[in-house]
Amino acid sequence: MPTAVISDIHGNAVALRAVLADIDSRGVDRIICLGDIVGYGPEPLPCVDLVAQRCAWSLIGNHDFAVLYEPTNFNPTAEQAAFWTRDQFDAEPDEQARTRRYDFLSRLRVRVVELVPESDIPILAVHGSPRRPINEYIFPDDVMTAADKMRQIFELIDRVAIVGHSHVPGVFTDEPDFYPPDELGGMTYTFSAEEKAVVNVGSVGQPRDHDPRASYAILHPDRVEFVRVEYNVRRTAEMIFAIDALNDWLGERLLEGR
Ligand code: ZN
């Protein structure tokens, strides 16, 4: 059975529900999550509850870490959003629900290695990068400007890694090279014994590749398929505009996908 990979939901429950419906409509019944369930978005609690219910496992992202512990290297807008997000967890009047959510966050894993479904290809899953799993970005520009960084990252990978964090979907190969999904035939990358790959599945709740649609990926035994899903972006943006602690920019960027 294929596995759906979601990441960077960022408290956008409208986008998450649309993605889960799309996954269900394809008959895919196993879902994993690469972290940043919360942060920036207006509905952190429903997002945590849905991931807890629907995903086989989830990793911890830097924004989940910020709610549990503290924001690290956040800009003022992100930090303010992180403290507001933590307040939502703390304001839950039902003590059992509050404890259950904090327990869930505290059990999120930093890295997972498993096999691509029905294959012998090992896959490493981290939120950011194999070197610094929670916080390091791997940007498309790095293939041109950061040769040492890319080499060190690929040395830590057997065959394939899946990541999120940059909110830009695509495939890095150990050439090194970067391919956005629409430069891959059929939005699909086929695994090859000849090259290593880092697959960024993009972001469900805050895409930054100038396409506002939610992004996720489906792992098949021999390939990974990128998927985009339309959702009511305006609805999430309006919720953000109505919350003082969430900077309006966080809503505006959703409308533009950046
Ligand atoms: Zn993120």
Side-chain angles (χ1 to χ4, degrees), residues 18-249:
V19 163
L20 292 172
D22 189 82
I23 293 169
D24 291 344
S25 76
R26 293 163 190 264
V28 175
D29 64 5
R30 184 168 185 268
I31 309 173
I32 58 179
C33 173
L34 306 184
D36 274 4
I37 302 163
V38 302
Y40 297 136
E43 295 191 289
L45 306 187
C47 290
V48 164
D49 292 346
L50 280 167
V51 169
Q53 284 161 21
R54 299 295 311 273
C55 294
W57 50 259
S58 176
L59 300 176
I60 189 165
N62 52 319
H63 287 260
D64 311 310
F65 185 94
V67 167
L68 261 182
Y69 306 106
E70 58 184 291
T72 325
N73 297 325
F74 277 32
N75 64 44
T77 293
E79 183 171 287
Q80 193 180 11
F83 290 141
W84 176 84
T85 301
R86 184 188 291 164
D87 288 345
Q88 307 316 300
F89 282 86
D90 290 339
E92 168 63 59
D94 176 348
E95 192 188 329
Q96 254 190 327
R98 194 166 68 238
T99 305
R100 174 171 47 77
R101 290 191 187 114
Y102 270 119
D103 278 352
F104 175 77
L105 287 180
S106 70
R107 283 196 308 270
L108 296 175
R109 295 154 78 182
V110 172
R111 67 199 291 282
V112 172
V113 178
E114 62 178 37
L115 295 179
V116 170
E118 294 168 73
S119 85
D120 57 3
I121 304 171
I123 191 162
L124 166 67
V126 288
H127 178 68
S129 92
R131 288 201 307 189
R132 296 176 55 203
I134 299 177
N135 275 298
E136 184 170 62
Y137 291 92
I138 309 174
F139 290 117
D141 279 355
D142 289 342
V143 303
M144 306 295 287
T145 62
D148 282 353
K149 172 182 172 180
M150 293 308 292
R151 189 177 36 73
Q152 286 175 23
I153 284 169
F154 276 107
E155 277 170 7
L156 296 169
I157 298 169
D158 268 341
R159 280 284 298 281
V160 180
I162 44 174
V163 303
H165 196 38
S166 74
H167 302 202
V168 177
V171 177
F172 297 86
T173 60
D174 55 354
E175 191 72 28
D177 232 327
F178 176 75
Y179 301 92
D182 55 12
E183 287 180 21
L184 300 163
M187 302 272 284
T188 294
Y189 172 76
T190 302
F191 302 125
S192 155
E194 269 83 64
E195 69 186 5
K196 297 182 182 185
V198 173
V199 177
N200 190 311
V201 301
S203 169
V204 168
Q206 195 197 75
R208 295 180 190 162
D209 61 343
H210 304 282
D211 180 346
R213 294 175 300 167
S215 176
Y216 77 98
I218 302 174
L219 284 174
H220 300 273
D222 62 335
R223 67 193 191 280
V224 58
E225 175 188 0
F226 292 88
V227 182
R228 298 308 281 249
V229 180
E230 300 227 18
Y231 74 96
N232 191 340
V233 183
R234 170 74 47 193
R235 206 172 130 207
T236 298
E238 299 285 353
M239 281 190 265
I240 291 173
F241 298 150
I243 298 168
D244 279 347
L246 300 180
N247 191 310
D248 283 355
W249 157 242

